[in-house]
């Protein structure tokens, strides 16, 4: 019986190990996406620098052409800035969704483990009920913590967007 219990514990640990490996793989995928976003930003900086070079070449042009070019550049920067902000928002959203999904997977694995332990008579119904309540509270608390972090990050992104929009409006005036 002791050997059977040891095997069951190993099985439960291997399920948690698999869940942890899946979470690590998801984290690696998010890091890869973040690297792609960073590469995109570097390309954006190159384009911006090229636009600055164009600025120097058109100083002697007449006012109407200058204004037209300025508006074009503002539109280009606005488009790039908006794309960048969209990428940030999407990345943040995917990151949040993946973290919540990870918590749900861990919760599911723990619940299955507790169900099996109860079914096999390894824990009492009272212990099972207590563990489920504790687990649900921990998961709820972690999700609430994630929601607060997500909301704070969204607030920062929204503030950045307001600043960008204001600067672009001034540049177009």
């Amino acid at each position: 019986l002791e050997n059977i219990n040891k095997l069951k514990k190993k099985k439960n640990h291997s399920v948690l190990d698999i869940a942890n490996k899946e979470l690590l793989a998801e984290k690696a995928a998010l890091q890869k996406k973040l690297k792609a976003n960073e590469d995109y930003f570097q390309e954006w900086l190159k384009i911006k620098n090229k636009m600055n070079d164009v600025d120097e070449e058109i100083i002697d042009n007449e006012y109407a052409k200058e204004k037209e070019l300025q508006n074009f550049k503002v539109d280009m920067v606005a488009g790039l800035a908006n794309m960048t902000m969209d990428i940030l928002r999407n990345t943040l959203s995917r990151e949040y969704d993946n973290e919540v999904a990870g918590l749900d997977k861990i919760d599911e694995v723990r619940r299955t483990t507790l169900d099996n332990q109860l079914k096999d008579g390894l824990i009492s119904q009272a212990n099972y009920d207590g563990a489920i309540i504790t687990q649900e509270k921990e998961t709820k608390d972690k999700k609430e913590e994630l929601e607060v972090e997500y909301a704070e990050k969204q607030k920062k992104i929204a503030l950045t967007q307001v600043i960008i929009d204001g600067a672009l409006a001034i540049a177009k005036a």
Side-chain angles (χ1 to χ4, degrees):
L1 183 63
E2 188 174 308
N3 287 336
I4 292 173
N5 286 338
K6 286 180 182 178
L7 287 174
K8 287 179 182 178
K9 286 181 182 179
K10 284 183 182 180
K11 178 182 174 187
N12 290 339
H13 285 294
S14 66
V15 170
L16 289 174
D17 290 341
I18 290 170
N20 282 335
K21 286 178 184 177
E22 288 176 0
L23 288 173
L24 287 173
E26 288 178 20
K27 180 180 178 182
L30 283 174
Q31 288 173 335
K32 185 176 179 182
K33 289 178 184 176
L34 180 60
K35 173 66 175 130
N37 288 342
E38 289 171 352
D39 292 344
Y40 169 81
F41 183 70
Q42 291 301 320
E43 288 299 315
W44 179 81
L45 284 176
K46 287 178 187 176
I47 291 170
K48 186 177 181 315
N49 288 335
K50 286 180 184 179
M51 288 171 43
N52 288 339
D53 292 343
V54 169
D55 257 355
E56 293 173 11
E57 294 175 13
I58 63 162
I59 289 174
D60 295 330
N61 288 348
E62 60 190 75
Y63 178 77
K65 288 182 181 179
E66 243 179 70
K67 190 66 175 172
E68 183 181 334
L69 182 59
Q70 181 184 359
N71 286 339
F72 173 74
K73 289 187 329 183
V74 169
D75 290 343
M76 290 294 293
V77 170
L80 290 171
N82 287 330
M83 285 190 314
T84 301
M85 295 305 292
D86 287 343
I87 289 169
L88 286 173
R89 278 189 285 275
N90 290 338
T91 300
L92 177 64
S93 178
R94 282 192 304 271
E95 181 182 282
Y96 171 78
D97 291 344
N98 286 338
E99 288 185 35
V100 169
L103 287 175
D104 289 341
K105 282 183 182 180
I106 290 170
D107 190 56
E108 182 181 328
V109 168
R110 287 179 178 169
R111 184 176 293 274
T112 301
T113 300
L114 288 170
D115 288 345
N116 289 337
Q117 289 175 345
L118 179 64
K119 179 180 165 186
D120 295 340
L122 297 174
I123 59 173
S124 68
Q125 183 67 45
N127 287 343
Y128 173 84
D129 293 341
I132 291 293
I133 290 169
T134 301
Q135 175 184 324
E136 287 174 349
K137 183 180 180 336
E138 286 175 4
T139 301
K140 180 184 173 203
D141 291 346
K142 287 178 184 177
K143 284 183 178 181
E144 286 174 357
E145 191 176 300
L146 282 176
E147 286 176 15
V148 168
E149 288 175 18
Y150 180 66
E152 288 173 2
K153 289 177 182 178
Q154 282 182 316
K155 183 179 175 182
K156 288 177 184 176
I157 288 174
L159 179 58
T160 302
Q161 184 70 55
V162 167
I163 292 169
I164 289 170
D165 291 345
L168 292 172
I170 291 169
K172 269 224 157 171

